[in-house]
Amino acid sequence: MDEYGRFVDWDKMDVSAQSQDTKELTCTEFQELKQLARQGYWAKNHSLRAKVYHKLISSIPCRTVTPDANVYRDIVVKIVGKRSSSSLPLPEFVDNSLVPTYCLNAEGIGAVRKIILCIANQFPDISFCPALPAVTALLLHYSKDEAECFEQVCRILACNDPSKRLIDQTFLAFESSCMTFGDLVNKYCQAAHKLMVAVSEDVLEVYSDWQRWLFGELPMAYVARVFDVFLVEGYKVLYRIALALLKFFHKVRAGQPLESDSIQQDIRAFVRDIAKSVSPERLLEKAFAIRLFSRKEIQLLQMANEKALQQKGITVKQKRQNVHLAVHAENFKSEIVSVKEMRDIWSWIPERFALCQPLLLFTTLEHGCSLSRFYSHSEGHEPTLLLIKTTAKEVCGAYLSTDWSERRRGGNKLSFFGTGECFVFRLQPEVERYEWVIIKHPELATAGAETENHSSPALSTLSSGSVPSEPSDRLSPFLAARHFNLPSKTASMFMAGSSECIIVGGGDGQALYLDADLNHGRTSHCNTFNNQPLCSETFQISVLEVWGFRD
C-alpha cells in the first residue's frame, strides 16, 4: 500500500483512511498546526499522517541520551531471543492493560510486544504506564519498521520539557491524573457525576478508567484523531476527550437501566461501540466546546493531588480506598445530616480531600452561638465544611477551601478570600449544588451591619491587602489570586468574614449571610437556570456545624 503500511491489515481499515490524495504539510506555526490537527487535515491520508507524526515527535525535547532505532536493532535479538513474539510476556508496569490491535496484521501484533519489552529494558525508571501498549500499537501503524516505532515511543517517554506532559510513567502520576479527572468531572459533567455517585460504590474507581477509555476501548479511527491533536496540544486534550465521552455516555444512556452489573463495564462498552452514536468529528467538537481550565491551572491541581497522595503514602499501586467509605457510619454523628447525606457531600469535594475523614470542629449545640468561638474552633483547618439546619427544617451548607484565619489580613474590615473550589449546596427539601462560589451581592454585607461602614469596597473587588502572599500547602490551586497574581479588580471572592458577619458567595447568584450571633441568616439569589434558592430568604438557625478533614 505505502512505505508505512507494513504492519497494517488493510482489509480491516476504514476505506476513508486509505486515501492517497497528494497532500503536504508545510506549516510550522503552532496555531495553524493546531487547527489542522483538530480539523483532521491528515486524517484520511495514511502516509501523510505518518510523516506528520514523525515530524511532531522528532521535535519533542528529550533527554541527552534517548534510545533510538539503532539501539533497538542492537538489543532486540538479545532480549526476545527465539521466543514467539505473540507469547512474549509484557512488563508489570503496563498493569495488564489491553493491547489493542488497531487493525494491525499478525506481524504488527507481535511486534508491539517486542517493542514494549525493549522499552522496558531501556527505561528501568518506568514503574507504571498502562497507556504504553496502545500508544505503541498506534505508532506502529505509522512506522516503516519496528526500530522506527521504538524510537518514536522512546522520544515521547524521554520528553524532558517540564511544561509538556505526555504519558504517565509512575503510579503517583497516574493516580493523581485519575483524581484530577474526577475533579474535572465534578465541575464540567455534573449530571454524569450525579449518576456515577448514584450507581457506583466507588466513584474514583470508575474515573480511574479514564485513560483506558482513550487508550484501550476507543476504536482506531477515533484514537488516531485524538492522537493527532494530542501530539500538537499535549495532555490537556486527553482530559477533554474523556470528559466528552462521559457527557455522551450520560446523554445516550440517560434514563436507561444499566446493561451490566457495573457502570464501569457499561462505559467501556459504550466507548467500544461509540461509532453507533457519535462520529470522531462530533466527539472532538464536543471536547473542544468545553471551556476547560487553563493548562497551568490543571497542572497545579495535578500537583496538589500528587502531594495529597504522597502525604498518604500512596505512591505505588495498592487497593484504592473506597471514597464512599471515607465517611464511616460507626464514627460519624451529626445533628444535621445522615451518613448517606455526608457521603453525598463527600462525592462533591475535591478528590484529594475525599481521602480524609470528617472531623467535627464546632457545633452550636455544644459551643454556643458565638461567632468568635466559631472562628477559634475553625481556624487552623483548611478546608472546612459548613452545615446549617434551620427551624423550618431546611438543610444547606458550604464547602470552604481556605482557612478562616485569612480574614485577619483585612484588619477590622470585611476581608475577602477563598478559591474557586468553594461551593454552596442544599440538602433539604431537595438536593441542589451551586457551583463556583463568587460573592457578588454587596448589599448582604451592609444589610445587617450599617454601623461598620463595609460598603466602601464592593464585594466584587478584592482589596490587595486581602491577597495572601504565601501559598498554603493545601490551598485549592485554581482561581486563587495568590497563585496567579490576578489583578485586584478582577479577582473573584468566595468567602468573607469579620467580627460582625460571615458571607459565603454562591454560583448561579446564590449567597449566604450569617449574623454574628449565629442565630439568624439570610440568602440572596437570582434564579438563573431555574435553580431553586439555597433556603428561605431569611431564616432562623436551629443547628450549625463546622467539619474539618482528618488525615
Side-chain angles (χ1 to χ4, degrees):
M1 178 61 69
D2 64 38
E3 60 181 329
Y4 297 99
R6 171 180 166 184
F7 302 104
V8 180
D9 185 340
W10 291 102
D11 291 335
K12 296 179 181 178
M13 286 287 286
D14 182 355
V15 175
S16 64
Q18 301 182 42
S19 169
Q20 293 300 304
D21 294 342
T22 54
K23 278 185 179 181
E24 294 296 332
L25 185 70
T26 56
C27 75
T28 56
E29 293 295 324
F30 173 75
Q31 288 299 328
E32 186 180 357
L33 201 57
K34 184 170 78 170
Q35 289 304 314
L36 292 177
R38 292 187 182 187
Q39 293 165 7
Y41 179 80
W42 52 81
K44 293 186 177 181
N45 187 308
H46 190 269
S47 180
L48 179 61
R49 178 179 262 156
K51 292 174 183 176
V52 172
Y53 281 7
H54 183 77
K55 179 178 180 179
L56 293 174
I57 294 172
S58 296
S59 68
I60 294 174
C62 295
R63 305 170 192 168
T64 305
V65 180
T66 298
D68 60 13
N70 289 327
V71 170
Y72 182 81
R73 296 184 186 103
D74 289 341
I75 65 174
V76 64
V77 174
K78 181 170 61 175
I79 291 174
V80 175
K82 296 182 179 179
R83 292 178 291 176
S84 168
S85 57
S86 61
S87 61
L88 291 173
L90 292 176
E92 287 187 12
F93 65 65
V94 303
D95 193 41
N96 297 316
S97 297
L98 297 175
V99 183
T101 59
Y102 289 151
C103 305
L104 292 172
N105 56 29
E107 183 186 5
I109 294 170
V112 171
R113 291 179 173 268
K114 291 164 63 178
I115 294 167
I116 291 174
L117 279 182
C118 291
I119 288 171
N121 174 267
Q122 294 294 302
F123 289 83
D125 53 332
I126 296 180
S127 58
F128 197 81
C129 192
L132 185 59
V135 171
T136 304
L138 182 64
L139 286 175
L140 188 60
H141 240 277
Y142 303 99
S143 300
K144 294 178 182 178
D145 55 31
E146 295 172 15
E148 183 176 276
C149 177
F150 170 85
E151 179 174 325
Q152 293 196 84
V153 177
C154 286
R155 290 195 65 84
I156 290 174
L157 293 171
C159 174
N160 63 358
D161 182 348
S163 66
K164 194 178 184 72
R165 181 178 182 174
L166 293 176
I167 297 180
D168 296 328
Q169 299 174 44
T170 66
F171 182 74
L172 180 63
F174 172 81
E175 188 75 348
S176 63
S177 79
C178 296
M179 294 170 66
T180 301
F181 179 68
D183 288 325
L184 296 176
V185 174
N186 212 346
K187 160 64 178 169
Y188 295 102
C189 305
Q190 290 182 30
H193 182 66
K194 188 174 182 180
L195 173 64
M196 301 301 123
V197 172
V199 302
S200 172
E201 292 185 357
D202 188 349
V203 179
L204 185 53
E205 187 175 354
V206 176
Y207 296 151
S208 70
D209 250 12
W210 80 278
Q211 288 194 27
R212 175 174 174 154
W213 303 342
L214 306 178
F215 297 121
E217 305 293 356
L218 208 56
M220 166 71 188
Y222 291 75
V223 74
R225 288 295 304 275
V226 172
F227 208 73
D228 292 347
V229 189
F230 166 71
L231 285 179
V232 176
E233 301 186 42
Y235 200 90
K236 182 179 174 182
V237 168
L238 304 183
Y239 284 132
R240 285 188 177 280
I241 300 297
L243 289 169
L245 287 171
L246 202 57
K247 282 178 175 286
F248 278 122
F249 172 80
H250 180 261
K251 180 180 179 180
V252 172
R253 297 289 178 85
Q256 298 180 18
L258 294 179
E259 294 184 356
S260 69
D261 295 333
S262 163
I263 186 72
Q264 211 167 359
Q265 295 297 332
D266 270 28
I267 298 175
R268 290 176 184 176
F270 171 78
V271 175
R272 277 196 303 272
D273 299 331
I274 193 170
K276 295 178 180 177
S277 52
V278 182
S279 68
E281 292 73 22
R282 183 73 185 95
L283 178 62
L284 265 67
E285 181 183 337
K286 186 78 168 178
F288 288 106
I290 300 171
R291 299 189 66 181
L292 206 56
F293 295 128
S294 72
R295 189 172 284 102
K296 183 176 181 180
E297 289 168 327
I298 292 175
Q299 184 181 14
L300 286 168
L301 180 56
Q302 182 96 12
M303 289 166 59
N305 285 332
E306 281 194 13
K307 186 167 186 177
L309 288 168
Q310 286 173 322
Q311 290 172 341
K312 287 284 185 180
I314 304 174
T315 57
V316 296
K317 189 176 183 184
Q318 53 189 260
K319 183 169 177 58
R320 182 182 290 106
Q321 176 182 348
N322 187 315
V323 173
H324 275 232
L325 297 182
V327 183
H328 298 302
E330 62 273 17
N331 298 327
F332 177 77
K333 180 173 173 53
S334 167
E335 298 301 324
I336 299 178
V337 297
S338 65
V339 172
K340 181 186 180 305
E341 288 172 324
M342 195 62 151
R343 286 175 176 169
D344 287 342
I345 296 170
W346 233 243
S347 74
W348 297 334
I349 65 176
E351 294 287 358
R352 63 191 183 281
F353 296 116
L355 298 168
C356 303
Q357 298 287 323
L359 173 67
L360 184 62
L361 303 176
F362 174 86
T363 170
T364 52
L365 293 180
E366 179 181 343
H367 302 107
C369 299
S370 164
L371 186 55
S372 62
R373 287 199 204 102
F374 170 95
Y375 286 138
S376 66
H377 284 272
S378 302
E379 288 176 0
H381 295 271
E382 182 179 288
T384 52
L385 194 66
L386 175 69
L387 297 177
I388 297 169
K389 185 175 184 178
T390 72
T391 53
K393 299 192 183 305
E394 298 166 307
V395 175
C396 62
Y399 170 81
L400 305 170
S401 65
T402 307
D403 192 331
W404 278 106
S405 64
E406 295 290 347
R407 67 187 172 84
R408 300 180 186 277
R409 294 179 177 270
N412 293 325
K413 293 182 178 180
L414 192 66
S415 179
F416 312 114
F417 50 96
T419 75
E421 280 187 328
C422 296
F423 61 86
V424 292
F425 57 86
R426 183 187 69 215
L427 295 177
Q428 298 290 344
E430 294 178 355
V431 176
E432 184 75 48
R433 177 183 171 207
Y434 303 90
E435 266 288 3
W436 303 114
V437 177
I438 302 172
I439 294 174
K440 49 187 174 184
H441 295 276
E443 72 277 3
L444 284 175
T446 55
E450 295 292 337
T451 59
E452 262 202 290
N453 191 25
H454 288 151
S455 58
S456 82
L459 288 186
S460 57
T461 306
L462 181 63
S463 65
S464 59
S466 69
V467 180
S469 59
E470 295 296 329
S472 160
D473 283 345
R474 306 185 74 176
L475 175 70
S476 152
F478 42 97
L479 300 188
R482 64 176 111 179
H483 272 305
F484 296 107
N485 298 317
L486 299 178
S488 61
K489 291 185 178 181
T490 58
S492 298
M493 272 108 8
F494 312 96
M495 305 162 58
S498 70
S499 60
E500 297 295 323
C501 67
I502 285 174
I503 304 176
V504 178
D508 297 333
Q510 302 291 335
L512 180 67
Y513 174 93
L514 302 181
D515 292 325
D517 60 8
L518 297 186
N519 277 319
H520 299 87
R522 55 187 172 274
T523 60
S524 175
H525 65 272
C526 55
N527 286 321
T528 55
F529 306 113
N530 297 317
N531 278 330
Q532 296 300 310
L534 189 61
C535 59
S536 302
E537 189 170 345
T538 60
F539 57 88
Q540 187 169 348
I541 297 172
S542 173
V543 187
L544 181 149
E545 295 175 349
V546 179
W547 291 80
F549 294 74
R550 182 179 67 232
D551 290 334

